[in-house]
Amino acid sequence: MDDSFKLLEEKVRRAAELVTRLRNENDEQKADLARLRPRLQEAERKIEGFEKARSAGAGEARQADAAGRELRVLREEREEVRRRIGRLVEILDGLDRE
């Protein structure tokens, strides 16, 4: 019986450590998302401006292309953050059911 309690205590301790680690990771992911969202919005504004000015010359076209690439990268980063947060939430939801 004593071994059963020790085993249970160990499982509870590991679960608590996992929850703490996942919450910390979730907080980091949320901070990343909050940090990236304004950059994404700024990049989208730049792209809109560049698209309007594209007809003005080749220099602006190069800047618009660079902004477009930056926008794609930022969107990919945002999606990765969303996927990671989703996985963390699934794990935390799983802990609630156990």
Side-chain angles (χ1 to χ4, degrees):
M1 180 112 166
D2 191 35
D3 289 338
S4 298
F5 282 119
K6 285 182 182 179
L7 182 61
L8 178 61
E9 287 174 336
E10 179 62 23
K11 286 184 177 184
V12 169
R13 185 190 58 76
R14 285 194 319 241
E17 289 172 355
L18 178 63
V19 168
T20 300
R21 182 177 57 83
L22 291 174
R23 283 185 179 152
N24 289 338
E25 288 178 13
N26 192 23
D27 290 342
E28 290 172 11
Q29 295 300 319
K30 286 179 181 178
D32 286 346
L33 184 59
R35 179 182 52 82
L36 291 173
R37 186 170 281 137
R39 287 180 57 197
L40 175 62
Q41 291 169 344
E42 178 62 27
E44 287 173 338
R45 281 192 294 272
K46 284 181 182 179
I47 287 173
E48 288 174 10
F50 289 139
E51 286 174 348
K52 291 177 184 175
R54 183 178 288 231
S55 61
E60 289 89 4
R62 282 192 296 274
Q63 288 177 335
D65 290 342
R69 285 189 299 275
E70 182 180 356
L71 177 61
R72 282 189 293 282
V73 168
L74 290 171
R75 284 183 175 156
E76 290 169 4
E77 287 178 2
R78 179 181 66 184
E79 289 306 312
E80 176 63 23
V81 168
R82 282 183 178 169
R83 282 191 294 274
R84 291 175 69 183
I85 288 174
R87 286 193 306 259
L88 292 174
V89 168
E90 288 175 9
I91 291 170
L92 290 174
D93 285 345
L95 289 174
D96 288 342
R97 294 183 193 129
E98 293 180 1

